[in-house]
Amino acid sequence: SLQPRPLKPRVLLWADLSYADMEEVEAAQTTEELQRALGRALALQLSRPSDSILADMYLYAVLFCRERQFNREQTSVLVSIVRALHLANTGTPLNNMEYCFNYFTELVLCHCVRRPPFSIDLFSPEQATQITEYLVNTYFRHYALYKYTFTPQVRLDLSLTYCGMLNKHFRPGTDEEKETATEVLESTAHDEEIKDTEVDHTGPTPWAELSQIVQRELSSEVRRVQTVLEQQLRESTQRLDSRLSSVETRRDKKKTPLSKRKTNEN
């Protein structure tokens, strides 16, 4: 199925990076050491291009935590949130940007309120805002690139069977099936003999006309579905852009000094 199963937010403390893993991560002094430590902890093969991209994604998340002076527990949870968000994004080739954003916000809230065993108060409201701004400006800004890189390409194999035609892949097993197959073949051969005597061979055959009709209908339907999907993608992107803009607006207001805000209001 193209639709992923619904994801339920849960506490992610030590889910992907254990306490011992975090000790190794904190001991890393250089970027290369930190990347190797994350690769070992998260079972990434840094020689593979896809895993190298993931390693960079987790690396910058840890650097963000260091910049904000997050503790071990907070760093471990943030890496797990980023990983859970990425899995939700790449769990389907369909556009699920809005679903991923809602799932991400629920994961963050799950670590901001003390309500065991459903949630814990690991992040303060200010830290939750910082995390949201960070992932909005990093992962969600490149959502489509992650989707394209890590989602398998979907192909449609269409097989049509017409009434009165015997499937070429059909293999009769029982005597009754063999008799039925023989009758169908004889009837088809008889009909073709009649058509050969009645149809003018200078024009297109009925099967060619039928094939053209089917191709026209399929092409029309594919174009219609493509138009609908593109429209849904545009609407989803516009909704997310409006949310991102609102987040950036709130961030800019917080950065504006109170005295300057009063001056602007006057």
Side-chain angles (χ1 to χ4, degrees):
S1 176
L2 297 180
Q3 292 291 349
R5 58 182 178 84
L7 299 174
K8 185 177 181 180
R10 61 185 181 89
V11 176
L12 297 176
L13 182 59
W14 312 125
D16 298 294
L17 293 179
S18 64
Y19 191 87
D21 294 332
M22 282 306 306
E23 287 184 337
E24 186 177 358
V25 168
E26 288 185 346
Q29 299 297 325
T30 65
T31 302
E32 291 76 13
E33 292 177 354
L34 180 56
Q35 194 173 49
R36 286 195 295 268
L38 290 171
R40 286 191 295 269
L42 299 172
L44 300 176
Q45 298 180 10
L46 301 182
S47 58
R48 296 174 53 186
S50 58
D51 283 0
S52 178
I53 295 174
L54 293 178
D56 287 340
M57 181 177 67
Y58 299 134
L59 169 67
Y60 287 114
V62 173
L63 293 178
F64 165 81
C65 293
R66 288 184 175 183
E67 182 182 352
R68 296 296 189 275
Q69 297 181 349
F70 285 6
N71 57 31
R72 292 180 179 179
E73 291 81 2
Q74 293 170 333
T75 302
S76 173
V77 167
L78 180 57
V79 171
S80 294
I81 289 177
V82 173
R83 184 174 183 272
L85 171 62
H86 179 70
L87 292 177
N89 176 20
T90 58
T92 174
L94 303 179
N95 176 43
N96 62 340
M97 182 183 292
E98 187 173 1
Y99 171 80
C100 288
F101 186 81
N102 293 334
Y103 177 59
F104 157 70
T105 55
E106 290 176 355
L107 281 176
V108 174
L109 291 175
C110 195
H111 298 84
C112 294
V113 180
R114 184 175 181 81
R115 195 165 61 93
F118 306 103
S119 62
I120 57 177
D121 55 343
L122 190 62
F123 297 119
S124 65
E126 182 181 359
Q127 290 172 332
T129 302
Q130 293 173 351
I131 292 172
T132 302
E133 292 176 355
Y134 167 73
L135 283 175
V136 162
N137 291 321
T138 55
Y139 192 89
F140 283 103
R141 288 295 182 190
H142 304 93
Y143 164 88
L145 293 178
Y146 285 111
K147 173 79 73 175
Y148 178 80
T149 303
F150 291 93
T151 302
Q153 184 180 5
V154 178
R155 297 183 59 184
L156 175 63
D157 292 330
L158 186 62
S159 176
L160 300 177
T161 303
Y162 303 102
C163 296
M165 292 182 61
L166 187 64
N167 191 340
K168 64 180 181 179
H169 299 292
F170 175 72
R171 295 291 184 271
T174 63
D175 294 337
E176 184 178 353
E177 291 177 347
K178 291 180 180 179
E179 292 178 0
T180 303
T182 303
E183 293 176 359
V184 172
L185 289 174
E186 292 176 352
S187 176
T188 303
H190 179 67
D191 293 341
E192 289 179 352
E193 290 178 359
I194 296 176
K195 291 177 182 178
D196 290 339
T197 59
E198 295 178 353
V199 177
D200 183 8
H201 292 283
T202 59
T205 63
W207 294 114
E209 293 180 355
L210 178 60
S211 177
Q212 293 176 0
I213 294 174
V214 172
Q215 289 179 1
R216 284 198 302 268
E217 292 297 327
L218 285 177
S219 299
S220 175
E221 186 65 17
V222 167
R223 286 194 297 269
R224 186 190 68 81
V225 172
Q226 184 178 4
T227 302
V228 172
L229 290 177
E230 290 177 352
Q231 179 64 24
Q232 292 178 352
L233 179 61
R234 284 194 296 269
E235 293 176 355
S236 178
T237 304
Q238 290 173 358
R239 287 195 297 268
L240 182 61
D241 287 341
S242 63
R243 291 193 178 188
L244 299 181
S245 300
S246 63
V247 171
E248 292 176 348
T249 302
R250 290 197 299 268
R251 180 192 60 188
D252 295 338
K253 286 183 178 180
K254 289 182 179 180
K255 290 182 179 180
T256 304
L258 182 60
S259 58
K260 187 176 181 180
R261 251 186 283 173
K262 289 183 177 179
T263 303
N264 293 336
E265 291 175 358
N266 294 333

